[in-house]
Coordinates of all heavy atoms in Angstrom, one line a residue:
M1 N 26.0 -78.9 -87.5 CA 26.3 -80.0 -86.7 C 27.5 -79.6 -85.8 O 28.5 -78.9 -86.4 CB 26.6 -81.2 -87.6 CG 27.2 -82.4 -86.7 SD 27.4 -83.9 -87.8 CE 25.8 -84.5 -88.1
N2 N 27.5 -79.8 -84.6 CA 28.7 -79.3 -83.7 C 29.7 -80.4 -83.6 O 29.6 -81.6 -84.1 CB 28.1 -78.9 -82.4 CG 27.5 -80.1 -81.6 OD1 27.9 -81.2 -81.7 ND2 26.6 -79.8 -80.7
G3 N 30.8 -80.1 -82.8 CA 32.0 -81.1 -82.9 C 31.5 -82.4 -82.1 O 32.0 -83.5 -82.6
E4 N 30.8 -82.2 -81.1 CA 30.3 -83.4 -80.5 C 29.6 -84.4 -81.3 O 29.8 -85.7 -81.2 CB 29.4 -83.1 -79.2 CG 29.1 -84.3 -78.3 CD 28.5 -83.7 -76.9 OE1 29.0 -82.8 -76.3 OE2 27.4 -84.4 -76.7
N5 N 28.6 -83.8 -82.1 CA 27.8 -84.6 -83.0 C 28.7 -85.3 -84.1 O 28.5 -86.4 -84.5 CB 26.7 -83.8 -83.7 CG 25.6 -83.5 -82.7 OD1 25.5 -84.2 -81.6 ND2 24.9 -82.4 -83.0
L6 N 29.7 -84.5 -84.6 CA 30.7 -85.1 -85.6 C 31.5 -86.2 -84.9 O 31.7 -87.2 -85.6 CB 31.7 -83.9 -85.9 CG 31.1 -82.9 -87.0 CD1 32.1 -81.9 -87.3 CD2 30.7 -83.7 -88.3
I7 N 31.9 -86.1 -83.7 CA 32.6 -87.2 -83.1 C 31.7 -88.4 -83.0 O 32.1 -89.5 -83.3 CB 33.1 -86.8 -81.7 CG1 34.3 -85.8 -82.0 CG2 33.6 -88.0 -81.0 CD1 34.8 -85.2 -80.6
D8 N 30.5 -88.2 -82.7 CA 29.4 -89.4 -82.6 C 29.4 -90.0 -84.0 O 29.2 -91.2 -84.0 CB 28.2 -88.9 -82.0 CG 28.2 -88.6 -80.5 OD1 29.1 -89.1 -79.8 OD2 27.3 -87.9 -80.1
T9 N 29.1 -89.2 -85.0 CA 29.1 -89.7 -86.5 C 30.3 -90.4 -86.7 O 30.2 -91.6 -87.4 CB 28.8 -88.5 -87.4 OG1 27.6 -87.8 -86.9 CG2 28.7 -88.9 -88.7
F10 N 31.4 -89.9 -86.4 CA 32.7 -90.5 -86.7 C 32.7 -91.9 -86.1 O 33.0 -92.9 -86.7 CB 33.9 -89.7 -86.3 CG 35.2 -90.4 -86.4 CD1 35.9 -90.5 -87.6 CD2 35.9 -90.9 -85.2 CE1 37.1 -91.1 -87.7 CE2 37.1 -91.6 -85.4 CZ 37.7 -91.7 -86.6
F11 N 32.5 -92.0 -84.8 CA 32.5 -93.3 -84.1 C 31.4 -94.2 -84.6 O 31.7 -95.4 -84.6 CB 32.4 -93.1 -82.6 CG 33.7 -92.6 -81.9 CD1 33.6 -91.5 -81.1 CD2 34.9 -93.2 -82.3 CE1 34.9 -91.0 -80.5 CE2 36.0 -92.7 -81.6 CZ 36.1 -91.6 -80.8
N12 N 30.3 -93.7 -84.9 CA 29.2 -94.6 -85.5 C 29.7 -95.3 -86.8 O 29.6 -96.6 -87.0 CB 28.0 -93.9 -85.7 CG 27.2 -93.6 -84.5 OD1 27.3 -94.3 -83.5 ND2 26.3 -92.6 -84.5
I13 N 30.3 -94.5 -87.7 CA 30.8 -95.1 -88.9 C 32.0 -96.0 -88.5 O 32.1 -97.1 -89.2 CB 31.2 -93.9 -89.8 CG1 30.0 -93.2 -90.3 CG2 32.0 -94.5 -91.0 CD1 30.1 -92.0 -91.1
V14 N 32.9 -95.7 -87.8 CA 34.1 -96.5 -87.5 C 33.6 -97.9 -86.8 O 34.0 -99.0 -87.2 CB 35.1 -95.8 -86.4 CG1 36.1 -96.8 -85.8 CG2 35.7 -94.8 -87.1
N15 N 32.5 -97.8 -85.9 CA 32.0 -99.1 -85.3 C 31.4 -99.9 -86.3 O 31.5 -101.1 -86.2 CB 31.1 -98.6 -84.2 CG 31.8 -97.9 -83.0 OD1 33.0 -98.3 -82.8 ND2 31.1 -97.1 -82.2
N16 N 30.7 -99.4 -87.4 CA 30.0 -100.1 -88.4 C 31.1 -100.9 -89.2 O 30.9 -102.0 -89.5 CB 29.1 -99.3 -89.3 CG 27.9 -98.9 -88.5 OD1 27.4 -99.5 -87.5 ND2 27.3 -97.9 -88.9
I17 N 32.2 -100.1 -89.5 CA 33.2 -100.8 -90.3 C 34.1 -101.8 -89.5 O 34.3 -102.9 -90.0 CB 34.1 -99.7 -91.1 CG1 33.1 -99.0 -92.0 CG2 35.2 -100.3 -91.7 CD1 33.8 -97.7 -92.7
K18 N 34.4 -101.4 -88.4 CA 35.5 -102.3 -87.6 C 34.8 -103.2 -86.6 O 35.3 -104.0 -86.1 CB 36.4 -101.3 -86.9 CG 37.4 -100.7 -87.8 CD 38.6 -100.1 -87.0 CE 39.3 -101.0 -86.3 NZ 40.1 -102.0 -87.1
K19 N 33.4 -103.1 -86.6 CA 32.8 -103.9 -85.5 C 33.2 -103.7 -84.1 O 33.5 -104.7 -83.4 CB 32.7 -105.4 -86.0 CG 32.3 -105.6 -87.3 CD 30.9 -105.1 -87.7 CE 30.5 -105.5 -89.1 NZ 29.8 -104.5 -89.7
T20 N 33.4 -102.5 -83.7 CA 33.9 -102.2 -82.3 C 32.8 -101.3 -81.7 O 31.7 -101.1 -82.2 CB 35.1 -101.2 -82.5 OG1 34.9 -100.1 -83.3 CG2 36.2 -102.0 -83.1
A21 N 33.1 -100.9 -80.5 CA 32.2 -100.1 -79.7 C 32.9 -98.8 -79.2 O 32.8 -98.5 -78.0 CB 31.6 -100.9 -78.5
F22 N 33.5 -98.1 -80.1 CA 34.2 -97.0 -79.7 C 33.2 -95.9 -79.5 O 32.1 -95.7 -80.0 CB 35.2 -96.4 -80.7 CG 36.4 -97.3 -81.1 CD1 36.8 -97.6 -82.3 CD2 37.0 -97.9 -80.0 CE1 37.9 -98.3 -82.6 CE2 38.1 -98.8 -80.3 CZ 38.6 -99.0 -81.5
S23 N 33.5 -94.9 -78.4 CA 32.6 -93.9 -78.1 C 33.5 -92.6 -77.5 O 34.7 -93.0 -77.2 CB 31.5 -94.1 -77.2 OG 32.1 -94.4 -75.9
A24 N 32.9 -91.5 -77.6 CA 33.7 -90.3 -77.0 C 34.0 -90.6 -75.5 O 34.9 -89.9 -75.0 CB 32.9 -89.1 -77.2
E25 N 33.3 -91.4 -74.8 CA 33.5 -91.5 -73.5 C 34.8 -92.5 -73.2 O 35.3 -92.3 -72.1 CB 32.2 -92.3 -72.7 CG 31.0 -91.4 -72.7 CD 30.2 -91.4 -74.1 OE1 30.3 -92.4 -74.8 OE2 29.7 -90.3 -74.2
I26 N 35.1 -93.2 -74.1 CA 36.3 -94.1 -73.8 C 37.5 -93.8 -74.8 O 38.5 -94.2 -74.6 CB 36.0 -95.6 -74.0 CG1 35.4 -95.9 -75.4 CG2 35.0 -96.0 -73.0 CD1 35.3 -97.3 -75.7
I27 N 37.3 -92.9 -75.9 CA 38.3 -92.6 -76.8 C 38.5 -91.1 -76.7 O 37.6 -90.2 -76.9 CB 37.9 -93.0 -78.2 CG1 37.7 -94.4 -78.2 CG2 39.0 -92.5 -79.2 CD1 38.8 -95.4 -78.1
A28 N 39.7 -90.5 -76.4 CA 40.0 -89.1 -76.3 C 40.2 -88.7 -77.8 O 40.7 -89.5 -78.6 CB 41.3 -89.0 -75.5
P29 N 40.0 -87.4 -78.0 CA 40.2 -86.8 -79.4 C 41.7 -86.9 -79.9 O 41.8 -87.0 -81.1 CB 39.8 -85.4 -79.2 CG 38.9 -85.3 -78.0 CD 39.4 -86.5 -77.1
D30 N 42.6 -87.1 -79.0 CA 44.0 -87.1 -79.5 C 44.5 -88.6 -79.7 O 45.6 -88.8 -80.0 CB 44.8 -86.5 -78.4 CG 44.9 -87.0 -77.1 OD1 44.1 -87.9 -76.8 OD2 45.9 -86.7 -76.4
F31 N 43.6 -89.5 -79.6 CA 44.0 -90.9 -80.0 C 44.3 -91.0 -81.4 O 43.6 -90.5 -82.2 CB 42.7 -91.8 -79.7 CG 42.8 -92.3 -78.1 CD1 43.0 -91.5 -77.1 CD2 42.4 -93.6 -77.8 CE1 43.0 -91.9 -75.7 CE2 42.3 -94.0 -76.5 CZ 42.7 -93.3 -75.5
H32 N 45.4 -91.9 -81.6 CA 45.8 -92.0 -83.1 C 44.8 -93.0 -83.8 O 44.5 -94.0 -83.2 CB 47.2 -92.5 -83.1 CG 48.1 -91.4 -82.9 ND1 49.0 -90.8 -83.7 CD2 48.3 -90.6 -81.8 CE1 49.7 -89.9 -83.4 NE2 49.4 -89.6 -82.1
L33 N 44.6 -92.7 -85.0 CA 43.7 -93.6 -85.8 C 44.3 -95.0 -86.0 O 43.5 -96.0 -85.8 CB 43.4 -92.9 -87.2 CG 42.8 -91.5 -87.2 CD1 42.8 -90.9 -88.5 CD2 41.4 -91.6 -86.7
G34 N 45.6 -95.1 -86.3 CA 46.1 -96.4 -86.6 C 46.5 -97.0 -85.2 O 46.2 -98.1 -84.9
G35 N 47.4 -96.3 -84.5 CA 48.0 -96.9 -83.3 C 47.0 -97.2 -82.2 O 47.1 -98.3 -81.6
D36 N 46.1 -96.3 -81.9 CA 45.1 -96.5 -80.8 C 43.9 -97.2 -81.2 O 43.3 -98.0 -80.5 CB 44.9 -95.2 -80.1 CG 46.1 -94.6 -79.5 OD1 46.8 -95.3 -78.8 OD2 46.3 -93.3 -79.6
L37 N 43.4 -96.9 -82.4 CA 42.1 -97.4 -82.8 C 42.2 -98.5 -83.8 O 41.3 -99.3 -84.1 CB 41.2 -96.2 -83.5 CG 40.9 -95.2 -82.6 CD1 40.0 -94.2 -83.4 CD2 40.4 -95.5 -81.3
G38 N 43.4 -98.8 -84.3 CA 43.7 -100.0 -85.2 C 43.0 -99.9 -86.5 O 42.8 -100.8 -87.3
I39 N 42.9 -98.5 -87.0 CA 42.2 -98.3 -88.4 C 43.4 -98.4 -89.4 O 44.3 -97.7 -89.3 CB 41.5 -96.9 -88.4 CG1 40.4 -97.0 -87.4 CG2 41.1 -96.7 -89.8 CD1 39.8 -95.5 -87.2
D40 N 43.3 -99.4 -90.4 CA 44.2 -99.3 -91.4 C 43.8 -98.5 -92.6 O 42.8 -97.8 -92.6 CB 44.5 -100.9 -91.9 CG 43.3 -101.4 -92.5 OD1 42.5 -100.9 -93.1 OD2 43.2 -102.7 -92.4
S41 N 44.7 -98.3 -93.5 CA 44.5 -97.4 -94.7 C 43.2 -97.7 -95.5 O 42.4 -96.9 -96.0 CB 45.6 -97.4 -95.7 OG 45.9 -98.6 -96.2
R42 N 42.8 -99.1 -95.8 CA 41.7 -99.4 -96.4 C 40.5 -99.1 -95.7 O 39.5 -98.6 -96.2 CB 41.7 -101.0 -96.8 CG 40.6 -101.5 -97.5 CD 40.3 -103.0 -97.5 NE 40.4 -103.6 -96.2 CZ 39.2 -103.6 -95.4 NH1 38.1 -103.1 -95.8 NH2 39.3 -104.2 -94.2
E43 N 40.5 -99.4 -94.4 CA 39.3 -99.0 -93.5 C 39.2 -97.6 -93.5 O 38.0 -97.1 -93.5 CB 39.6 -99.5 -92.2 CG 39.5 -101.0 -92.0 CD 40.0 -101.5 -90.7 OE1 40.8 -100.9 -90.0 OE2 39.4 -102.6 -90.3
M44 N 40.3 -96.7 -93.5 CA 40.1 -95.2 -93.5 C 39.5 -94.8 -94.7 O 38.6 -93.8 -94.7 CB 41.5 -94.6 -93.2 CG 41.4 -93.2 -92.8 SD 40.6 -93.1 -91.1 CE 39.7 -91.5 -91.4
L45 N 39.7 -95.5 -95.8 CA 39.1 -95.0 -97.2 C 37.5 -95.3 -97.1 O 36.7 -94.4 -97.5 CB 39.6 -95.8 -98.3 CG 41.0 -95.4 -98.8 CD1 41.5 -96.4 -99.8 CD2 41.0 -94.0 -99.3
E46 N 37.1 -96.5 -96.5 CA 35.8 -96.7 -96.2 C 35.2 -95.7 -95.4 O 34.0 -95.2 -95.5 CB 35.6 -98.1 -95.8 CG 35.9 -99.2 -96.7 CD 35.7 -100.6 -95.9 OE1 34.6 -100.8 -95.6 OE2 36.7 -101.4 -96.0
I47 N 35.8 -95.4 -94.3 CA 35.4 -94.4 -93.2 C 35.1 -93.0 -94.0 O 34.1 -92.3 -93.7 CB 36.3 -94.3 -92.0 CG1 36.3 -95.6 -91.3 CG2 36.0 -93.1 -91.2 CD1 37.4 -95.7 -90.2
W48 N 36.1 -92.6 -94.7 CA 36.0 -91.3 -95.4 C 34.8 -91.3 -96.3 O 34.0 -90.4 -96.4 CB 37.2 -90.9 -96.2 CG 38.3 -90.2 -95.4 CD1 39.5 -90.6 -95.0 CD2 38.1 -88.9 -94.8 NE1 40.2 -89.7 -94.2 CE2 39.4 -88.7 -94.0 CE3 37.1 -88.0 -94.6 CZ2 39.6 -87.5 -93.3 CZ3 37.4 -86.8 -93.9 CH2 38.5 -86.5 -93.3
Y49 N 34.7 -92.3 -97.0 CA 33.4 -92.4 -98.0 C 32.1 -92.1 -97.3 O 31.3 -91.5 -97.6 CB 33.5 -93.8 -98.7 CG 32.4 -93.9 -99.7 CD1 32.3 -93.3 -100.9 CD2 31.2 -94.6 -99.3 CE1 31.2 -93.5 -101.7 CE2 30.1 -94.9 -100.1 CZ 30.1 -94.2 -101.3 OH 29.0 -94.3 -102.2
D50 N 32.0 -93.1 -96.2 CA 30.8 -93.0 -95.4 C 30.6 -91.6 -94.6 O 29.5 -91.3 -94.6 CB 30.8 -94.2 -94.3 CG 30.7 -95.6 -94.9 OD1 30.4 -95.7 -96.1 OD2 30.8 -96.4 -94.2
L51 N 31.7 -91.1 -94.3 CA 31.6 -89.7 -93.6 C 31.1 -88.7 -94.7 O 30.1 -87.8 -94.3 CB 32.9 -89.2 -93.0 CG 33.3 -89.9 -91.7 CD1 34.7 -89.6 -91.5 CD2 32.4 -89.4 -90.5
E52 N 31.7 -88.8 -95.8 CA 31.2 -87.8 -96.9 C 29.8 -88.0 -97.2 O 29.0 -87.1 -97.4 CB 32.1 -87.9 -98.1 CG 33.5 -87.4 -97.8 CD 34.5 -87.7 -98.9 OE1 34.3 -88.8 -99.6 OE2 35.4 -86.9 -99.1
Q53 N 29.3 -89.3 -97.4 CA 28.0 -89.6 -97.7 C 27.0 -89.1 -96.5 O 26.0 -88.5 -96.8 CB 27.8 -91.1 -97.9 CG 28.6 -91.5 -99.1 CD 28.0 -90.9 -100.5 OE1 26.8 -90.9 -100.6 NE2 29.0 -90.3 -101.2
A54 N 27.3 -89.3 -95.4 CA 26.5 -89.1 -94.2 C 26.4 -87.5 -94.0 O 25.3 -87.0 -93.7 CB 27.0 -89.7 -92.9
L55 N 27.5 -86.9 -94.2 CA 27.5 -85.4 -94.0 C 27.2 -84.6 -95.3 O 27.0 -83.3 -95.1 CB 28.9 -85.0 -93.4 CG 29.2 -85.7 -92.1 CD1 30.6 -85.3 -91.6 CD2 28.2 -85.3 -90.9
G56 N 27.1 -85.1 -96.4 CA 26.8 -84.4 -97.6 C 27.9 -83.4 -98.0 O 27.7 -82.4 -98.6
I57 N 29.1 -83.8 -97.7 CA 30.3 -83.1 -98.1 C 31.3 -83.8 -98.9 O 31.2 -85.1 -99.1 CB 31.1 -82.6 -96.7 CG1 31.5 -83.8 -96.0 CG2 30.2 -81.6 -96.0 CD1 32.5 -83.3 -94.9
A58 N 32.3 -83.2 -99.5 CA 33.5 -83.8 -100.2 C 34.7 -83.4 -99.8 O 34.8 -82.1 -99.5 CB 33.4 -83.6 -101.7
V59 N 35.6 -84.2 -99.4 CA 36.9 -83.8 -98.8 C 37.9 -84.3 -99.8 O 38.0 -85.6 -100.1 CB 37.2 -84.4 -97.5 CG1 38.6 -84.0 -97.0 CG2 36.1 -84.1 -96.5
P60 N 38.6 -83.4 -100.5 CA 39.7 -83.8 -101.5 C 40.7 -84.8 -100.8 O 41.1 -84.6 -99.6 CB 40.4 -82.5 -101.9 CG 39.4 -81.4 -101.5 CD 38.7 -81.9 -100.3
D61 N 41.2 -85.8 -101.6 CA 42.2 -86.7 -101.1 C 43.3 -86.0 -100.5 O 43.9 -86.4 -99.5 CB 42.7 -87.6 -102.2 CG 41.6 -88.6 -102.6 OD1 40.5 -88.7 -101.9 OD2 41.7 -89.1 -103.7
S62 N 43.8 -84.8 -101.0 CA 45.0 -84.1 -100.4 C 44.8 -83.7 -99.2 O 45.8 -83.5 -98.4 CB 45.3 -83.0 -101.5 OG 44.3 -82.0 -101.5
E63 N 43.6 -83.5 -98.7 CA 43.2 -83.0 -97.3 C 43.0 -84.2 -96.4 O 42.9 -83.9 -95.1 CB 42.0 -82.1 -97.3 CG 42.2 -80.8 -98.1 CD 41.0 -79.9 -98.0 OE1 40.2 -79.8 -97.2 OE2 40.8 -79.2 -99.1
K64 N 43.0 -85.4 -96.9 CA 42.9 -86.5 -96.1 C 44.2 -87.0 -95.5 O 44.2 -87.9 -94.7 CB 42.0 -87.6 -96.8 CG 40.6 -87.2 -97.1 CD 40.0 -88.3 -98.0 CE 38.7 -87.8 -98.4 NZ 38.1 -88.7 -99.4
R65 N 45.2 -86.5 -96.2 CA 46.6 -87.0 -95.8 C 47.1 -86.4 -94.6 O 46.6 -85.3 -94.3 CB 47.5 -86.8 -97.0 CG 47.1 -87.5 -98.2 CD 48.2 -87.3 -99.3 NE 47.7 -87.9 -100.6 CZ 47.6 -87.1 -101.7 NH1 47.9 -86.0 -101.7 NH2 47.1 -87.8 -102.8
D66 N 48.1 -87.1 -93.9 CA 48.7 -86.5 -92.8 C 47.6 -86.1 -91.6 O 47.9 -85.2 -91.0 CB 49.4 -85.2 -93.1 CG 50.5 -85.5 -94.2 OD1 51.1 -86.6 -94.1 OD2 50.9 -84.7 -95.0
L67 N 46.6 -86.9 -91.5 CA 45.7 -86.8 -90.4 C 45.9 -88.0 -89.5 O 45.7 -89.2 -90.0 CB 44.2 -86.7 -91.0 CG 43.9 -85.6 -91.9 CD1 42.4 -85.8 -92.3 CD2 44.1 -84.3 -91.2
Y68 N 46.3 -87.8 -88.4 CA 46.7 -88.9 -87.4 C 45.7 -89.2 -86.3 O 45.8 -90.4 -85.8 CB 48.2 -88.7 -86.9 CG 49.2 -88.5 -88.1 CD1 49.6 -87.2 -88.4 CD2 49.5 -89.6 -88.9 CE1 50.5 -87.0 -89.4 CE2 50.4 -89.4 -89.9 CZ 50.9 -88.2 -90.3 OH 51.7 -87.9 -91.2
T69 N 45.0 -88.2 -86.0 CA 44.2 -88.4 -84.7 C 42.6 -88.2 -85.0 O 42.3 -87.7 -86.1 CB 44.5 -87.4 -83.6 OG1 44.1 -86.0 -84.1 CG2 46.0 -87.4 -83.3
V70 N 41.8 -88.6 -84.0 CA 40.4 -88.4 -84.2 C 40.1 -86.9 -84.3 O 39.3 -86.5 -85.1 CB 39.7 -88.9 -83.0 CG1 38.1 -88.5 -83.0 CG2 39.8 -90.5 -82.8
Q71 N 40.8 -86.0 -83.5 CA 40.6 -84.6 -83.6 C 41.0 -84.1 -85.0 O 40.4 -83.2 -85.5 CB 41.4 -83.9 -82.7 CG 41.0 -82.4 -82.5 CD 39.5 -82.1 -82.3 OE1 38.9 -82.5 -81.3 NE2 38.8 -81.4 -83.2
D72 N 42.0 -84.6 -85.6 CA 42.4 -84.2 -87.0 C 41.3 -84.4 -88.0 O 41.0 -83.5 -88.7 CB 43.6 -85.0 -87.5 CG 45.0 -84.7 -86.7 OD1 45.0 -83.6 -86.0 OD2 45.8 -85.6 -86.8
V73 N 40.7 -85.5 -88.0 CA 39.5 -85.8 -88.9 C 38.4 -84.9 -88.6 O 37.8 -84.3 -89.4 CB 39.2 -87.3 -88.7 CG1 37.9 -87.6 -89.6 CG2 40.3 -88.3 -89.2
V74 N 38.0 -84.8 -87.3 CA 36.9 -83.9 -86.8 C 37.2 -82.4 -87.3 O 36.2 -81.8 -87.8 CB 36.6 -84.0 -85.3 CG1 35.6 -83.1 -85.0 CG2 36.1 -85.5 -85.1
S75 N 38.4 -82.0 -87.2 CA 38.7 -80.8 -87.6 C 38.5 -80.4 -89.0 O 37.9 -79.4 -89.4 CB 40.1 -80.3 -87.2 OG 40.3 -80.3 -85.8
V76 N 38.8 -81.3 -89.9 CA 38.6 -81.2 -91.3 C 37.1 -81.3 -91.5 O 36.7 -80.5 -92.4 CB 39.3 -82.4 -92.0 CG1 38.9 -82.4 -93.5 CG2 40.9 -82.2 -92.0
L77 N 36.4 -82.2 -90.9 CA 35.0 -82.2 -91.1 C 34.3 -80.9 -90.8 O 33.4 -80.4 -91.4 CB 34.4 -83.4 -90.4 CG 34.8 -84.8 -90.9 CD1 34.2 -85.9 -89.9 CD2 34.5 -85.1 -92.2
E78 N 34.7 -80.3 -89.6 CA 34.1 -79.0 -89.2 C 34.3 -77.9 -90.2 O 33.5 -77.2 -90.5 CB 34.7 -78.7 -87.9 CG 34.2 -79.4 -86.7 CD 34.8 -79.1 -85.3 OE1 36.0 -78.7 -85.3 OE2 34.2 -79.2 -84.3
E79 N 35.6 -77.9 -90.7 CA 35.8 -76.9 -91.7 C 35.0 -77.1 -92.9 O 34.6 -76.1 -93.4 CB 37.3 -77.1 -92.0 CG 37.9 -76.0 -93.1 CD 39.3 -76.3 -93.5 OE1 40.1 -76.7 -92.7 OE2 39.5 -75.9 -94.6
K80 N 35.0 -78.3 -93.4 CA 34.2 -78.5 -94.6 C 32.7 -78.3 -94.4 O 32.2 -77.6 -95.3 CB 34.2 -79.9 -95.1 CG 35.7 -80.3 -95.7 CD 35.9 -79.5 -96.9 CE 37.3 -79.7 -97.4 NZ 37.6 -78.6 -98.4
L81 N 32.1 -78.6 -93.3 CA 30.8 -78.2 -92.9 C 30.6 -76.7 -92.8 O 29.5 -76.3 -93.4 CB 30.3 -79.0 -91.8 CG 30.0 -80.5 -91.9 CD1 29.8 -81.1 -90.5 CD2 28.9 -80.7 -92.8
S82 N 31.6 -76.1 -92.3 CA 31.3 -74.6 -92.2 C 31.4 -73.9 -93.4 O 30.7 -72.8 -93.7 CB 32.4 -73.9 -91.2 OG 33.6 -74.0 -91.8
T83 N 32.2 -74.3 -94.4 CA 32.3 -73.6 -95.8 C 31.1 -74.1 -96.7 O 30.8 -73.5 -97.6 CB 33.6 -74.0 -96.3 OG1 33.9 -75.4 -96.5 CG2 34.8 -73.4 -95.6
A84 N 30.6 -75.3 -96.3 CA 29.6 -75.9 -97.2 C 28.2 -75.0 -97.0 O 27.4 -74.9 -97.9 CB 29.3 -77.3 -96.9
T85 N 28.1 -74.4 -95.7 CA 26.9 -73.7 -95.5 C 27.0 -72.2 -95.8 O 25.9 -71.4 -95.7 CB 26.5 -73.8 -94.0 OG1 27.6 -73.3 -93.1 CG2 26.2 -75.4 -93.7
V86 N 28.1 -71.8 -96.2 CA 28.4 -70.3 -96.4 C 27.8 -69.9 -97.8 O 27.8 -70.7 -98.7 CB 29.8 -69.9 -96.4 CG1 29.9 -68.5 -96.8 CG2 30.2 -70.0 -95.0

C-alpha cells in the first residue's frame, strides 16, 4: 500500500468516526489532527484501532504519542507496513 492509499484509508476511517467528508484534496498532510481536523483523544483511539484492523498491523501505544499531523500518522503506518512485509 502506498502513501496515497494510506491517506485515503486514514480519511475514510476519520470520516466514519467523525461524520465528516475530509479528503486528500482538501486536507494537506501537515494539517494538525486536533487543531485543524478537530480530532480529540478518544476519537484518535478509535481511529488507531480501526487503522490497525484495516491494515493488519499493530502500533505500540508508545509510537502513537507525539504525533500531531496527518503526515505523522501516515509515516508511522508506512513504517509498520514496510516492516510487516519483511
Side-chain angles (χ1 to χ4, degrees):
M1 180 175 283
N2 64 30
E4 187 173 307
N5 290 339
L6 281 175
I7 290 174
D8 289 340
T9 299
F10 173 79
F11 284 130
N12 285 335
I13 290 171
V14 169
N15 290 334
N16 284 336
I17 291 172
K18 291 194 64 65
K19 309 300 182 213
T20 55
F22 296 140
S23 70
E25 289 79 33
I26 60 172
I27 303 294
D30 64 344
F31 273 38
H32 284 248
L33 301 170
D36 294 319
L37 303 183
I39 298 172
D40 65 27
S41 58
R42 183 192 54 78
E43 291 169 332
M44 199 63 217
L45 288 174
E46 291 179 55
I47 291 166
W48 273 116
Y49 177 81
D50 288 353
L51 285 169
E52 289 173 328
Q53 295 298 308
L55 300 172
I57 59 173
V59 180
D61 289 343
S62 62
E63 295 181 33
K64 297 173 186 172
R65 296 182 188 127
D66 300 326
L67 302 177
Y68 303 106
T69 67
V70 172
Q71 185 59 58
D72 291 342
V73 174
V74 170
S75 294
V76 168
L77 295 174
E78 285 176 329
E79 179 186 330
K80 289 298 172 189
L81 286 171
S82 70
T83 58
T85 58
V86 174

